[in-house]
Amino acid sequence: MVLKVFFPLCCSSADSGILIGRWISEQNSAVILAVVHFPFIPVQVKQYLGEVQRVTKVSVSVLGSWSNSKQKKEESLSEFLEDLGTIFCHEPWIQISKEGDSKFWSCSTLQKHSKNPQEEEIILVYYDQRKVMLSHLHPPLDTAGQGAEDASKLSAIFDTVARSQVLFMTDRYDEGPIKLTHWQSDGVEASIIVELLKQASVPACMLLAFLLSLLSGICRSRVLKFWPLSFLWSKLSTCEQLGHRLQHLQVISSNKKAQNQNQLMRKANIFVSLLVDVALGILLMSWLYRKNRIGHLADTLIPVADHVAEELQDLLQWLMGAPAGLKMNRALDQVLGRFFLYHIHLWISYIHLLSPFIEMILWYVGLSACLGLTVALCILSDIIALLTFHIYCFYVYGARLYCLKIYGLSSLWRLFRGKKWNVLRQRVDSCSYDLDQLFIGTLLFTILLFLLPTTALYYLVFTLLRLLVVIVQGLIHLLVDLIDSLPLYSLILRLCRSYRLAAGVKFRVLEQQDGKPLRLLMQINPLSYGGVVQTYRLPTYSCYPRDSWASLCKKLFLGELIYPWKHKGDKQN
Amino acid sequence: MAEERRFRSASGVPIALRRRQHSASCRELAVRGPRLQLRSLSAATSAVWLAAYGLFAVSENSMVLSAAIFITLIGLIIYLHFVKIDQESLLVIGSLGIQVTSSYASGKESTTFIEMGQVKDVVINEAIHMQKVIYYLCILLRDPEDPQRVSEVVPLFQSSKPRLDCLIEVYKSCQEILEQRKTAPQSS
């Protein structure tokens, strides 16, 4: 059986002593955590290890001896080290010795109660203790949460080093009975800025939580729940986005400490995302208000709305004539065309009524861009929706008319063939009709059939216009979603400190020498950028697509109204 | 000790297999494909620039030339960094696992390490690729719930696609190390 020894790189130049770490018997591997130097009293060492074991719940024990002889091999030292094996009895007792500056160490084991006396092969794996301690191993996404016995061998090693943090808190300047060498033994690292931020964050979180509770109290008050207002809030995407951000702020300002890595990363991601959002929003606002650009925008808004209405009027005149050479039913054409023209006339009047107030409204609404770029984009999407409200109305009229016609046609077609829709059984049954029923039914069927092209053309034109507006709004929402859900903190961490997010390990074979154990270097294999985004994506409030392409086409053909973008709070119909 | 032998890939391109034995239970097998040829690089660049000059002569817009240079540079960087694989290697460490590395022409290395507990076996399989039937070497991964079932198949040497004679050499080397874990007393 092969024995694997995981040795920290920082202890390569340590003075002679004994090795402490964890022995994993199922994998026949020893994870060395530190070297204890002479002089020491064995009883104190055992006491210290017992304390460490109690605090960290990692079974730390003395695993072997380490001798680093700078000049020549000292015989007495090696005998002394072998005798230590009898004081700290551990099976097997590992002896590693390094001569001078040689790279190739000799490693041997002492087995007193071994059943098979043959020489077992030893593999020496070097690892960077600080990186392994700080890194977080990501299991593959499809096999998440298997039993602890099935846990991979590598996660046991990462776990051991990560949980032994208290062992690394004493450095060589501490006055104590035990002298250790590990990655922090030259001095415990800490950063003043991080400590100050930690102290300042507690009162800041409490203040934020208080303000948020006030705000959510106002939002939940009964005044805002009356019917017209609640309908308005549910339709405006700005309110959805603001509610979403409020939720995020609540997550950040909660005073419960994050339990595990996932929650910590989520909090950090939300914080950085909010910061970047607000920064971009303020940038946008400063650009808009410089040189009074928002005034110019307001000035061009009314002419643009007028232009759109004029284009629609031209379109309707074209439809009322002979569009694309098709011959329409004159009477129906005139009726529908005049009906829609009157609507446009009403719309233009309303817009002109509002025009003195537009600049002021826009100026104040533009101020809310400081809440974030996502809020500004949502406001833009809402303004587009409001300005093209008449197109939405026309689409609804055209779709309802067309839908009625199609249902009428299908029902009369069934009558034509002598069948009927059985509502109880939800199927088509044969039925015997009277002669006058058949006569009237056939007449109506013919009328509806010949009026179909006219209605279908109006429906087609307005559906295309509506789809255009929906696509533009959809693109804006896609951008908002992207900004909302991108885990910026995780991506920056992957860029700067890639060892913190580990997908696995990689081994590099170092120079070998015959007769010496196999030397490998274990490095951290970082998670790919796609993996980072997939693991740490922030959930958003919308999910697309709502309908598959097939059902969308079916709805368009039948004239049912389509709402392509669904929000998570909507009831299913 | 290291030894190198020449073989051919499934499409006839010459490749080289290098075997190194680091210790009794550790072997490294590397398959190296042909390097990027200067003449194919020059041919591609000249074709793009001739087309750009032709467009420039027709349209009299100098943006076409700068766009062509930009496209050539970006295309070359993307090809070297993401497409052209120089060497694929397999490092088998008995009792630890199998490591699969692909080295790209720009120096980037993408590595995957599979632990020995997850490896069920290493086999040679047949597959239909375009109009040919080719052999490929793959690692069978054990299903954690049912040890008899295979949960995943990881194909190896996908870009160099060596022929059966090369694959048999690699297969024999791998099996010698995998057998050692069967003869050793079971501990996990």
Side-chain angles (χ1 to χ4, degrees), chain B residues 4 13-16 18 31-41 79-80 84-87 103-106:
Chain B
E4 187 162 320
V13 172
I15 54 175
R18 199 182 60 180
V31 172
R32 206 178 59 224
R35 295 276 163 83
L36 185 63
Q37 303 275 9
L38 186 62
R39 55 174 175 222
S40 51
L41 182 63
Y79 179 68
L80 289 179
K84 177 96 181 73
I85 294 185
D86 252 354
Q87 173 173 297
S103 330
Y104 291 83
S106 66

Side-chain angles (χ1 to χ4, degrees), chain B residues 78-112:
Chain B
I78 290 181
Y79 179 68
L80 289 179
H81 197 70
F82 292 108
V83 174
K84 177 96 181 73
I85 294 185
D86 252 354
Q87 173 173 297
E88 290 168 302
S89 73
L90 196 66
L91 178 69
V92 185
I93 311 171
S95 81
L96 261 183
I98 304 183
Q99 177 167 293
V100 182
T101 317
S102 306
S103 330
Y104 291 83
S106 66
K108 168 174 114 164
E109 284 192 2
S110 106
T111 323
T112 326

Side-chain angles (χ1 to χ4, degrees), chain A residues 527-544:
Chain A
L527 204 54
S528 64
Y529 287 100
V532 170
V533 171
Q534 217 173 349
T535 320
Y536 292 111
R537 266 193 73 176
L538 297 167
T540 55
Y541 53 80
S542 55
C543 36
Y544 353 62

Side-chain angles (χ1 to χ4, degrees), chain A residues 393-410:
Chain A
C393 283
F394 290 170
Y395 164 70
V396 172
Y397 296 149
R400 287 270 182 248
L401 214 61
Y402 179 76
C403 183
L404 271 172
K405 188 159 266 187
I406 291 286
Y407 275 117
L409 271 176
S410 59

